Coordinates of all heavy atoms in Angstrom, one line a residue:
A58 N -251.2 -43.6 -91.8 CA -250.5 -42.9 -93.0 C -249.2 -43.7 -93.3 O -248.5 -44.1 -92.4 CB -250.2 -41.6 -92.7
A74 N -249.1 -47.9 -87.7 CA -249.2 -47.3 -86.4 C -249.8 -45.9 -86.6 O -249.5 -45.2 -87.5 CB -248.0 -47.2 -85.5
P89 N -242.7 -8.5 -85.2 CA -241.8 -7.5 -85.7 C -241.9 -7.3 -87.1 O -242.2 -8.2 -87.8 CB -240.4 -8.1 -85.3 CG -240.7 -9.1 -84.2 CD -242.1 -9.7 -84.4
V112 N -198.8 10.5 -111.0 CA -198.6 9.8 -109.5 C -197.2 9.3 -109.5 O -196.6 8.5 -110.3 CB -199.6 8.6 -109.6 CG1 -199.4 7.9 -108.3 CG2 -201.0 9.0 -109.7
I115 N -197.2 5.5 -104.3 CA -198.4 5.0 -103.7 C -197.9 4.3 -102.2 O -197.1 3.5 -102.3 CB -199.2 4.1 -104.5 CG1 -199.6 4.8 -105.8 CG2 -200.4 3.5 -103.8 CD1 -200.3 3.9 -106.8
V123 N -205.8 2.9 -92.5 CA -205.2 4.2 -92.6 C -205.6 5.0 -91.4 O -206.7 4.8 -91.0 CB -205.3 5.0 -93.9 CG1 -204.7 4.1 -95.0 CG2 -206.8 5.2 -94.2
A125 N -206.2 9.1 -90.0 CA -206.6 10.5 -90.4 C -205.3 11.3 -90.8 O -204.4 11.4 -89.9 CB -207.5 11.2 -89.4
A156 N -189.2 46.5 -94.1 CA -188.6 46.9 -92.7 C -187.7 48.2 -92.9 O -187.7 49.1 -92.2 CB -187.7 45.8 -92.3
A182 N -196.2 39.3 -101.4 CA -195.3 38.2 -101.3 C -195.8 37.2 -100.2 O -195.6 35.9 -100.4 CB -194.0 38.9 -100.7
V186 N -196.5 33.2 -101.1 CA -196.0 32.0 -100.4 C -197.0 31.1 -100.0 O -196.8 29.8 -100.1 CB -195.1 32.6 -99.2 CG1 -194.7 31.4 -98.3 CG2 -193.8 33.2 -99.6
R190 N -197.2 27.2 -101.4 CA -197.2 26.1 -100.4 C -198.4 25.3 -100.4 O -198.3 24.1 -100.4 CB -197.1 26.7 -98.9 CG -197.0 25.7 -97.8 CD -196.7 26.3 -96.5 NE -195.4 26.9 -96.4 CZ -195.0 28.1 -96.2 NH1 -196.1 29.0 -96.0 NH2 -193.8 28.5 -96.1
G220 N -210.1 16.1 -109.6 CA -211.4 15.4 -109.5 C -211.3 13.9 -109.9 O -212.2 13.1 -109.7
P239 N -243.7 1.7 -92.0 CA -245.1 2.0 -92.3 C -245.6 2.7 -91.0 O -245.3 2.3 -89.9 CB -245.7 0.7 -92.7 CG -244.7 -0.1 -93.1 CD -243.4 0.3 -92.4
I273 N -244.5 11.8 -89.8 CA -244.8 10.7 -90.8 C -244.7 11.4 -92.2 O -245.4 12.5 -92.4 CB -246.2 10.1 -90.5 CG1 -246.2 9.4 -89.3 CG2 -246.5 9.1 -91.8 CD1 -245.3 8.2 -89.1
G289 N -218.8 -5.1 -83.1 CA -218.3 -6.6 -83.3 C -219.1 -7.3 -84.3 O -218.9 -8.5 -84.5
S299 N -232.0 -7.2 -93.8 CA -233.4 -7.0 -93.3 C -233.2 -6.5 -91.9 O -232.6 -7.1 -91.0 CB -234.2 -8.3 -93.4 OG -234.4 -8.7 -94.7
V323 N -243.3 -30.9 -98.1 CA -244.2 -31.4 -97.0 C -245.2 -32.4 -97.6 O -245.4 -32.5 -98.8 CB -245.0 -30.2 -96.4 CG1 -244.3 -29.1 -95.7 CG2 -246.0 -29.6 -97.5
G343 N -239.7 -18.8 -84.8 CA -239.3 -19.2 -83.4 C -240.3 -20.3 -82.8 O -241.3 -20.6 -83.5
L353 N -249.6 -24.1 -99.4 CA -250.5 -24.7 -98.4 C -251.7 -23.8 -98.2 O -251.6 -22.6 -98.4 CB -249.8 -25.0 -97.1 CG -248.9 -26.3 -97.1 CD1 -248.3 -26.4 -95.8 CD2 -249.5 -27.6 -97.5

Side-chain angles (χ1 to χ4, degrees):
V112 178
I115 297 174
V123 297
V186 169
R190 184 171 291 119
I273 301 296
S299 294
V323 295
L353 285 177

